Amino acid sequence: MVVSWVEGDSLALPFAGSCFDYAVLHLILAVVSDPAPALRETARVLRHGGVVLILDKFLREGERAVDELLLRCCGLFAVRRRFIAGVPGTGLGPGPPDDEDQGGKRRAGFEQQPEQGFHKTNGVILFDTISMMNFSGSLAGIQTVFSRWILAAALVLAAGCETLPPKPVVVTPPAPPVAPAPPVAEPVKPPALPAEPSMQPANWEDLPGWHDDNPAEAWGAFLTSCGALKAKNAWRDLCAVAARMTPPDRETARRFFQENFAPHQMIDPEGQATGLITGYYEPLLRGSRQPSRRYRFPVYGVPDDLLVIDLTELYPDLKGMRLRGRIEGRRVVPYYDRAQIEDGKAVLRGKELVWVDDAIELFFLQIQGSGRVQLDDGSTLRVGYADQNGHPYRSIGRWLVERGELPLEKASMQGIQTWARQNPGRLTEMLNHNASYVFFRELPADLTGPLGALGVPLTARRSVAIDPRFVPLGVPVFVATTWPNAAKPLNRLMMAQDTGGAIRGPVRADYFWGFGKEATREAGRMRQPLRMWVLLPKENSIGIPQ
């Protein structure tokens, strides 16, 4: 691979032997004074099937100018977004609808780290803000890391593109005038990186409603976390003490957490302490082990030809990134998208776990990541997330709003379901907008709840999904928010036991409401401001409260 920097704001990477010759990475370290060369090159690459990669980390200043640049260049609208629940900037406001926020793509104990790194939109890959936090800040370091990241992107995006025409000649700025003794130019330093997200030490008095909550109700969820964490040094003694205790009352449980944990408030990269919390639930579908005119929508297990590529061993910088594809001849190409799977392109015969009677409910089962199926013989089957086709998630709520089919305030899960039932002729069009497709596995019937990414059953109203890049899976967290569509405080101790494809950022969570009609209703309506504290074990302070 040959890496060359052009005018300090784009990176041209020839890929010998691949189906596209160039991918251009626009770093946009600052909004360039003359964007014309970058505009022309970006348009050329996209026009010929190439890929443009944009580092969102540096789009803090002049965001409007960057949006306008991309719109003028490529006809792209709002591609620059921080992928934190689809909320632009840091305010909650009337952000884009997030109908599937109620769980994203759940990890059912298979992968404790979500897919991360890049998001593809119309030939543009946005490297999101959060994924860029481990750079040293040196230009050379960024060059090295991005060379590896683009190789990873090429594995997924190499199919279906054209060979680019020869790259136009780049006009090189004139060399400085020759002088008898030219001064040695100092290396150009990139602009300072935005502050990284942090956990700020806090006091228990900082937690609103801490003394009003009943932490004893979270004790069972805490013990299930211990089941997954007890082998780790920081948790071994703490979990052993908790296991010896009789179920504590309200005050005993409160003293246990105060004596053994220290609260830390989550702060985002821009120094904001307020984020977003949504809700998810465990749905109930009706189905059968055999297909029929009524039960004709299959719930699939993992296909045999789905290839999962883990680059961690070769490139440690890509830890947590798993690429999905399939083999076509001697090439790794993207796996089939939702439309192709529904059209029968994927080899899935024999992978049907069960057939259900409602395509809309099946879609939302994929969003929630786990659920129950009441079979026609009276028994109940439990299914959970097993894998995914590797295509990025796209919001059908946003699709409906952008086309004027739903007002923003009605783009909730319930609003989407109502629209779908009123427009059956457009159901396939709407669902296929989201190319992501989730595969399931059958879970033991005796589980007390659906399995979360920690690999333990979730507890209704005491388990929460987080972004494990910032919040360690399994730890206690205290959330301060309000009830859905209300100002009534909802402040309680919960356990970080799950993740989700839409749950991205340090101050971002998804509240597990449980199973049943009330859980479904509350999860579908929840989109509230959030403040969050992570409780980390203190050193050498393990003890049973007296």
Side-chain angles (χ1 to χ4, degrees), residues 204 207-210 212-219 221-222 253-254 256-258 261 459-464 475-480 490-496 511 533-535:
W204 290 101
L207 279 58
W210 167 249
D212 298 324
D213 184 33
N214 182 2
E217 294 178 357
W219 190 256
F222 173 68
R254 194 185 327 278
F256 175 87
F257 287 106
Q258 290 182 179
F261 290 87
T459 301
R461 305 192 182 194
R462 291 293 174 173
S463 293
V464 68
V475 302
V477 297
F478 188 82
V479 301
L490 179 58
N491 306 319
R492 61 180 51 188
L493 179 66
M494 306 187 77
M495 301 296 148
Y511 188 105
W533 288 260
V534 172
L535 310 187

Side-chain angles (χ1 to χ4, degrees), residues 285-300 352-358 372-381 383 442:
L285 290 80
R286 295 178 296 276
S288 174
R289 294 283 191 178
Q290 300 297 327
S292 65
R293 291 183 63 184
R294 177 181 178 183
Y295 302 110
R296 53 195 178 94
F297 304 105
V299 178
Y300 288 119
E352 303 90 346
L353 301 178
V354 66
W355 282 262
V356 297
D357 64 352
D358 193 317
R372 306 181 196 183
V373 181
Q374 185 176 340
L375 300 177
D376 53 356
D377 63 4
S379 62
T380 300
L381 170 69
V383 295
E442 187 170 346

Side-chain angles (χ1 to χ4, degrees), residues 115 118 152-153 155-156 307-311 321-325:
E115 294 177 77
F118 52 82
L155 289 174
V156 178
L307 181 66
V308 181
I309 305 171
D310 190 339
L311 300 175
M321 178 186 293
R322 293 173 175 85
L323 306 179
R324 288 164 175 80

Side-chain angles (χ1 to χ4, degrees), residues 80-134:
R80 184 207 52 75
R81 287 289 179 249
R82 301 186 189 93
F83 288 82
I84 302 176
V87 181
T90 56
L92 295 176
D98 207 2
D99 48 295
E100 290 85 78
D101 265 340
Q102 308 108 16
K105 296 182 284 291
R106 300 280 147 203
R107 270 65 179 161
F110 277 73
E111 301 179 23
Q112 294 194 8
Q113 296 190 9
E115 294 177 77
Q116 60 181 332
F118 52 82
H119 308 264
K120 183 174 182 293
T121 304
N122 296 333
V124 173
I125 302 176
L126 289 157
F127 283 86
D128 63 65
T129 304
I130 304 306
S131 300
M132 299 295 105
M133 292 306 172
N134 294 324

Side-chain angles (χ1 to χ4, degrees), residues 365-415:
L365 172 68
Q366 293 192 16
I367 299 305
Q368 304 305 313
S370 61
R372 306 181 196 183
V373 181
Q374 185 176 340
L375 300 177
D376 53 356
D377 63 4
S379 62
T380 300
L381 170 69
R382 196 168 224 154
V383 295
Y385 175 97
D387 218 318
Q388 186 255 359
N389 66 344
H391 286 266
Y393 163 79
R394 299 175 70 187
S395 169
I396 60 174
R398 183 177 297 113
W399 183 85
L400 290 169
V401 171
E402 289 176 350
R403 283 155 181 76
E405 300 292 340
L406 282 180
L408 180 60
E409 62 273 13
K410 292 187 177 180
S412 64
M413 180 182 64
Q414 292 88 343

Side-chain angles (χ1 to χ4, degrees), residues 157-193:
L157 301 169
C161 50
E162 304 174 15
T163 299
L164 297 181
K167 184 180 180 183
V169 176
V170 177
V171 178
T172 306
V178 178
V184 178
E186 296 183 3
V188 178
K189 297 181 180 180
L193 302 182

Side-chain angles (χ1 to χ4, degrees), residues 195-539:
E196 296 191 3
S198 65
M199 295 183 185
Q200 292 186 358
N203 299 315
W204 290 101
E205 292 75 17
D206 298 330
L207 279 58
W210 167 249
H211 292 284
D212 298 324
D213 184 33
N214 182 2
E217 294 178 357
W219 190 256
F222 173 68
L223 292 180
T224 61
S225 280
C226 275
L229 300 176
K230 61 185 179 183
K232 298 184 177 182
N233 291 335
W235 292 85
R236 184 178 298 111
D237 294 339
L238 180 61
C239 288
V241 168
R244 293 196 301 267
M245 293 175 58
T246 57
D249 60 20
R250 181 189 190 111
E251 293 307 317
T252 302
R254 194 185 327 278
R255 290 198 303 273
F256 175 87
F257 287 106
Q258 290 182 179
E259 292 177 11
N260 294 297
F261 290 87
H264 295 72
Q265 186 170 16
M266 298 304 300
I267 306 294
D268 76 8
E270 295 181 342
Q272 299 297 317
T274 300
L276 174 71
I277 188 168
T278 49
Y280 69 111
Y281 68 104
E282 185 182 18
L284 176 66
L285 290 80
R286 295 178 296 276
S288 174
R289 294 283 191 178
Q290 300 297 327
S292 65
R293 291 183 63 184
R294 177 181 178 183
Y295 302 110
R296 53 195 178 94
F297 304 105
V299 178
Y300 288 119
V302 180
D304 293 332
D305 61 342
L306 178 64
L307 181 66
V308 181
I309 305 171
D310 190 339
L311 300 175
T312 302
E313 184 175 351
L314 187 60
Y315 300 116
D317 298 312
L318 302 180
K319 182 179 180 181
M321 178 186 293
R322 293 173 175 85
L323 306 179
R324 288 164 175 80
R326 57 187 175 88
I327 300 294
E328 187 176 87
R330 300 179 60 185
R331 296 192 307 156
V332 177
V333 299
Y335 200 75
Y336 301 104
D337 62 20
R338 175 178 295 275
Q340 292 170 321
I341 291 173
E342 296 292 358
D343 286 343
K345 299 287 182 61
V347 182
L348 288 166
R349 184 179 296 276
K351 294 298 181 180
E352 303 90 346
L353 301 178
V354 66
W355 282 262
V356 297
D357 64 352
D358 193 317
I360 303 171
E361 295 292 344
L362 174 57
F363 179 86
F364 279 96
L365 172 68
Q366 293 192 16
I367 299 305
Q368 304 305 313
S370 61
R372 306 181 196 183
V373 181
Q374 185 176 340
L375 300 177
D376 53 356
D377 63 4
S379 62
T380 300
L381 170 69
R382 196 168 224 154
V383 295
Y385 175 97
D387 218 318
Q388 186 255 359
N389 66 344
H391 286 266
Y393 163 79
R394 299 175 70 187
S395 169
I396 60 174
R398 183 177 297 113
W399 183 85
L400 290 169
V401 171
E402 289 176 350
R403 283 155 181 76
E405 300 292 340
L406 282 180
L408 180 60
E409 62 273 13
K410 292 187 177 180
S412 64
M413 180 182 64
Q414 292 88 343
I416 293 168
Q417 290 176 330
T418 299
W419 183 92
R421 300 192 191 287
Q422 293 174 348
N423 297 271
R426 300 187 64 190
L427 177 61
T428 299
E429 178 189 5
M430 180 187 72
L431 297 183
N432 286 346
H433 172 71
N434 178 26
S436 174
Y437 199 95
V438 173
F439 305 107
F440 292 88
R441 62 166 177 153
E442 187 170 346
L443 299 178
D446 59 351
L447 287 176
T448 58
L451 288 181
L454 188 62
V456 301
L458 303 179
T459 301
R461 305 192 182 194
R462 291 293 174 173
S463 293
V464 68
I466 45 77
D467 187 338
R469 295 172 298 172
F470 309 105
V471 178
L473 268 172
V475 302
V477 297
F478 188 82
V479 301
T481 182
T482 61
W483 285 79
N485 292 344
K488 180 182 177 181
L490 179 58
N491 306 319
R492 61 180 51 188
L493 179 66
M494 306 187 77
M495 301 296 148
Q497 296 175 332
D498 206 0
T499 64
I503 312 307
R504 302 182 64 80
V507 195
R508 179 70 173 93
D510 212 15
Y511 188 105
F512 179 61
W513 284 93
F515 175 77
K517 292 182 179 180
E518 182 182 359
T520 302
R521 181 184 68 252
E522 298 293 357
R525 300 189 307 155
M526 191 172 200
R527 186 181 179 85
Q528 313 299 119
L530 167 71
R531 288 184 293 160
M532 184 166 65
W533 288 260
V534 172
L535 310 187
L536 299 179
K538 296 179 182 178
E539 295 184 5

